[in-house]
Amino acid sequence: MIARAAAGVAAGVVTLGTAELLAGVLNPAVSPVRVLGDAVIDHAPQGLREWAIETFGTADKGVLVVAMLVVAVLVSALAGVLGRAGAVLLAMLGVVVAGFAVAAAGAFAAVPTVAGVAAGIWVLLRAIDGSRADGVAGESRRGGVEPAGDAEAVGGRVREPAGRAVTGGVSGGRLSEDREAAGADRRWVLRGLALATGAGIAAGLAGRALAALRTDVSGERAGVTLPPPREPLPDTPFGADLRTPGITPYLTPNADFYRIDTALTVPQVSIEDWSLRIHGMVQREITLRWADLAARPAIERLTTLTCVSNPVGGDLVGSARWLGYRLDALLAEAGPLPGADMVLSRSVDGWTAGSPLAALTDGRDALLAIGMNGEPLPVAHGYPARLVVPGLYGYVSATKWVTELEVTRFDRATAYWTKLGWAAEGPIKTGTRIDTPAASARLKPGRMSVAGVAWAQHRGIVAVEVQVDDGPWEQARLAADVSVDTWRQWVYEWNATPGPHTLRARSTDGTGEVQTAEVAAAVPDGASGYPAVFVRVG
Ligand SMILES: Nc1nc2c(c(=O)[nH]1)N[C@H]1C(S)=C(S)[C@@H](COP(=O)(O)O)O[C@H]1N2
Ligand SMILES: [Mo]
């Protein structure tokens, strides 16, 4: 049973290793792990995805790959136990994965999967035949028909010291001999399986390394020179950062910026291949290549990005200094036609976001961004170009690796997440977060700073209030107001008295509206409610 399962696992590893190696050589986009992972991401039930994002946050893709490998090992072991039926199972799974690959990248894309499955099945059948040969040999020995090799071995044994022959006798020697020979065969089979497994793992790793080498654009990115913005901005405008210990910095460093997307492997788009096509309901379709951008004026803006999946008090929000080109100007070059009310932006990997045309043309600083905090966009954040639109959640606006803007209508087009049950429009809800003290902290009595950030992009924050237990709402002190499009730090000096306490916070946006207390989950248009932090003093 264990030997059979091991044979199955070896076959599975050889399947994946061969396929990954071939994909690395032929076309990294069609690796079965990637194709299947993308299929899982695109077809997973809504609840499962949310659970994954909430539980694993930005590590969700690593967890998915590990989960897929664990399932692959279990299925392979099962195939091994099933024997020849297992080979049929592997073949059927191969057909499914090859189908996804073909759907994604054409008939040729099936090659790595088909070759991998063929190699895996060969290993499985060899292992089955190997152990069956054992069984047959054992039978025949007991039946008295000597295979030539065995006869020789017995002959050799006969010349052993007499003592042994006396204690065991010839027939006793024969029996243990049979077992030893069978054991040796078995060891050979197991050794072969271990070898196949090792080779499969090595091939898989080599394939992945090759794929990374062939597609990686980080070297190119390091050599990109960004155009100078018309009015460069400081990283942190005067007074924007209160520098209260424990508070989130006003500007989020690129390395700490949250990452959310459906891309299992980060798309690698070279500026040589990149272009942006603006089409659909426009007077004239235009296509901009990287070099075309240089002729246009670049601007720099501080904008706070927020994910619709951010739970109350969560950290799927960050602020950066974005360098790019005004989307209203680029859209005007194509000339949107009357009746259009949506821009469906599409990334190189087919992901889409639907933004109100009005939000991109009403004068706000909606950008085709190419720089983030003074560097070219990090590859995971959309290199070489993405959208950044103040006031809209990322899922309806912030398309990374963007290659297309289709001017259309909300009643004609449906974007990626909207098809999956999220709202078609996603203006950012007013949010407040308590950064310090930390949840469940044990504190000393006396004065301390309760502090955090508040955001209501494109409306701005005009007030933040803090409530201790069931007390009155007290005004917090606000950091300098930089723009309506970025978050604002706040601090409240609290005289902490001994005992358990709950701290709450809420904000008022630039329209005078107080943040809603109504508790809502992220689906369909963003979480709401007041953040609460429980602490123990004394
Ligand atoms: N191509 C692509 N762009 C995308 C997404 C995606 O899945 N694919 N996710 C969006 C979502 S939901 C958010 S919140 C932001 C996050 O941007 P970041 O990863 O740079 O923080 O990117 C948006 N852009
Ligand atoms: Mo998001």
Side-chain angles (χ1 to χ4, degrees):
M1 175 84 166
I2 289 185
R4 282 167 156 240
V9 171
V13 170
V14 165
T15 301
L16 287 179
T18 308
E20 288 301 316
L21 182 60
L22 277 174
V25 173
L26 298 173
N27 175 4
V30 300
S31 106
V33 173
R34 209 174 134 173
V35 164
L36 202 59
D38 287 342
V40 170
I41 291 174
D42 287 350
H43 302 287
Q46 176 69 16
L48 184 64
R49 283 161 193 262
E50 265 153 59
W51 172 82
I53 290 181
E54 252 159 54
T55 313
F56 307 116
T58 43
D60 55 350
K61 281 172 277 282
V63 172
L64 172 63
V65 170
V66 171
M68 281 173 52
L69 291 179
V70 169
V71 170
V73 166
L74 293 177
V75 170
S76 308
L78 175 70
V81 171
L82 293 177
R84 288 182 190 282
V88 176
L89 176 67
L90 281 186
M92 285 183 345
L93 291 175
V95 168
V96 172
V97 177
F100 280 121
V102 169
F108 195 60
V111 171
T113 304
V114 171
V117 169
I121 289 178
W122 181 78
V123 167
L124 185 60
L125 294 182
R126 284 287 305 230
I128 295 171
D129 288 348
S131 23
R132 182 147 320 158
D134 267 6
V136 172
E139 285 295 308
S140 67
R141 280 181 206 121
R142 269 185 287 279
V145 184
E146 300 286 357
D150 239 38
E152 255 174 49
V154 171
R157 264 308 148 84
V158 178
R159 276 179 246 120
E160 272 186 353
R164 178 142 183 210
V166 171
T167 47
V170 174
S171 65
R174 280 277 301 282
L175 260 182
S176 69
E177 186 69 28
D178 286 347
R179 250 183 250 126
E180 257 171 50
D185 279 355
R186 214 181 122 91
R187 272 196 293 283
W188 268 113
V189 172
L190 286 180
R191 206 164 293 172
L193 288 180
L195 210 68
T197 307
I201 290 174
L205 292 177
R208 302 301 300 167
L210 204 61
L213 256 175
R214 287 188 51 195
T215 57
D216 186 63
V217 290
S218 56
E220 172 191 291
R221 172 182 176 271
V224 167
T225 324
L226 294 175
R230 271 202 310 219
E231 333 127 41
L233 292 177
D235 260 357
T236 304
F238 183 74
D241 208 318
L242 298 166
R243 300 187 202 285
T244 307
I247 204 170
T248 314
Y250 176 75
L251 199 84
T252 315
N254 289 355
D256 299 343
F257 210 96
Y258 78 93
R259 176 189 164 203
I260 292 287
D261 53 60
T262 59
L264 188 58
T265 36
V266 179
Q268 308 281 324
V269 184
S270 164
I271 52 174
E272 301 293 328
D273 305 328
W274 180 85
S275 66
L276 180 71
R277 186 160 81 98
I278 306 180
H279 65 111
M281 298 174 68
V282 293
Q283 279 158 18
R284 55 205 158 267
E285 180 175 325
I286 59 171
T287 299
L288 298 168
R289 301 192 52 90
W290 183 258
D292 300 329
L293 294 176
R296 292 162 174 79
I299 63 168
E300 201 166 47
R301 289 292 183 268
L302 287 157
T303 300
T304 299
L305 227 62
T306 309
C307 182
V308 69
S309 296
N310 194 37
V312 172
D315 56 8
L316 300 178
V317 50
S319 238
R321 183 158 58 85
W322 305 96
L323 174 80
Y325 303 91
R326 298 196 64 90
L327 277 173
D328 50 10
L330 296 179
L331 285 166
E333 289 185 37
L337 293 174
D341 62 4
M342 179 214 239
V343 172
L344 188 73
S345 49
R346 187 175 278 109
S347 68
V348 69
D349 63 353
W351 187 86
T352 52
S355 317
L357 176 62
L360 307 189
T361 53
D362 65 2
R364 77 182 74 186
D365 298 320
L367 298 181
L368 172 72
I370 60 167
M372 182 177 184
N373 293 333
E375 293 173 21
L377 290 177
V379 178
H381 293 288
Y383 177 86
R386 72 172 305 168
L387 304 189
V388 171
V389 183
L392 303 183
Y393 283 123
Y395 84 106
V396 289
S397 68
T399 307
K400 305 190 274 190
W401 316 287
V402 64
T403 59
E404 247 183 80
L405 302 181
E406 181 185 348
V407 180
T408 179
R409 295 175 52 89
F410 275 95
D411 59 12
R412 285 186 200 162
T414 310
Y416 186 94
W417 285 109
T418 307
K419 281 188 193 134
L420 295 161
W422 295 74
E425 298 206 30
I428 297 174
K429 295 181 179 177
T430 302
T432 313
R433 188 174 72 203
I434 301 172
D435 288 340
T436 182
S440 310
R442 293 209 67 122
L443 308 166
K444 293 205 173 63
R447 284 187 74 78
M448 71 184 66
S449 297
V450 177
V453 285
W455 60 87
Q457 288 93 317
H458 213 56
R459 301 186 298 282
I461 293 291
V462 297
V464 174
E465 296 161 284
V466 172
Q467 183 189 43
V468 181
D469 303 321
D470 294 323
W473 286 96
E474 309 264 10
Q475 293 292 329
R477 181 164 66 84
L478 294 173
D481 189 13
V482 175
S483 91
V484 291
D485 295 334
T486 58
W487 59 16
R488 208 164 168 185
Q489 292 188 351
W490 56 268
V491 60
Y492 172 75
E493 299 303 333
W494 178 40
N495 198 358
T497 55
H501 295 290
T502 301
L503 304 166
R504 291 188 179 78
R506 69 179 186 192
S507 303
T508 303
D509 73 12
T511 70
E513 191 157 338
V514 178
Q515 182 179 343
T516 179
E518 191 187 317
V519 174
V523 194
D525 61 357
S528 69
Y530 298 156
V533 165
F534 176 81
V535 295
R536 223 171 255 288
V537 181

